Amino acid sequence: MADVLQKFTSSSPGRALLRRLGVQGPVVLPRHEPGRPEIAGPVLLGGTDAGRLRPALAGILRGAGVPVLRGDGADGPDHGPDPAALVFDATGLCGSAALAELYEFAHPLVRRLPVGGRVVIVGDVPEAAGSAGAATAAHALEGFTRSLGKELGRGGTCQLLRADPGAEQALDSPLRFLLSRRSAYVSGQVVRVGPPVGAHPSPRAGAPQAGRTVAVTGAARGIGAVVAELLARDGAHLLCLDLPARREELERTAARIGGTALAVDVTAADASEMIAAHLRERHGGVDVFVHNAGVTRDRTLARMARAEWDTVLDVNLGAVERITAALLADGPGGPVLRDGGALVCTSSIGGIAGNRGQTNYGAAKAGLIGLVRALAPVVAGRGVRVNAVAPGFIETDMTARMPLMVREAGRRMNSLGQGGLPVDVAEAVRWLAEPANAGVTGQVLRVCGQSLIGA
């Protein structure tokens, strides 16, 4: 359903009214379009005197073809073109006084950012910072990031990359994603980057999934169909899975992207073995498995029937547990999920903040986060990464059926002042599935426009 407020505030009369009222309205977010550069340049790069990552960050930006401005006064705040994004190497900061370096860098620049401007802070991991003062400064960056994300307006976003020792060679993919238009509905997030898990190929433009097999559940329509489309565009062969009742939709989706379809109820007693056997026999295994299937049966706990509890827990969590176990089990030639592969789960802001009437859904989606964090170190030795996305209010058929005031509240209660689109979730899944994104595992990326509740 169209966002009427966004449409009005994007018009000339709407903008004039907002100026008179002195308030900002939701802007149309600049999103990635095939054939256009992913990162709008130039990027102004600054850093602390003690920072260790500025040369690596500059190399990543230049490798992506992005003009780099230096934030050291040579072509900084009062020289050269306005930047489209700011990147600050905050590693090495120690103690509260040192945080003034971040203030001095960002203070004169944030007002010059365009619509959809980006700010990325790169800092140390507090637990590995080496001293109490360094840990203090490293953790302070999180509060700075989340607060600035709520101030930027005009579609601007702010993120924090925490770099473990040895993460230098794995920063490329995370930095590119967070600076790109692909992350339009991601803001105020903290992403930890560690040393590469398994092989670490360089980012490949155009076809990063070429020659790989990807499976997506819940792929007949909605977010799952868009996930499948993006990964097919990246060169993967897609196995699209959904309920037998949606077979016709599923087959149309698969045919549109050149993939294949498997109609299966993921909660069936034999579903996990059937899916694993199909992938082994027809595709020789799988490189990426996206757990996207989900349902809701909303009702307060006092009124919730046991069947409503069981259905939501089984579809959203139980089936994920069983299918994942089948993919990782040893078999002829090894596990179905190949070494160097990836698992991506679809959690929810509801599993982080909770929602009234969703004790079943909140428990299931929070359980997925626990599964991701527990499983990631177990499979890292095989080069397998496990991550999750946690969508907030996304414009789908389900949200279109919400009562008007509930829908409007969902749209506005985030820093970007609007609902996200299915493609926003799909872009996040695409990034987490990317082979070059080898330093990110055990993470939950919130695709919520920086929800004002629980995120």
Side-chain angles (χ1 to χ4, degrees), residues 296-315:
T296 58
R297 297 289 186 271
D298 294 355
R299 204 178 299 275
T300 59
L301 184 61
R303 297 176 178 272
M304 185 181 296
R306 176 60 187 268
E308 293 169 322
W309 174 272
D310 289 343
T311 295
V312 171
L313 265 292
D314 203 28
V315 174

Side-chain angles (χ1 to χ4, degrees), residues 354-383:
N355 285 318
R356 185 180 187 277
Q358 289 194 326
T359 52
N360 48 4
Y361 188 76
K365 294 304 188 180
L368 283 178
I369 294 173
L371 178 64
V372 163
R373 290 175 175 166
L375 192 57
V378 174
V379 297
R382 293 183 45 224

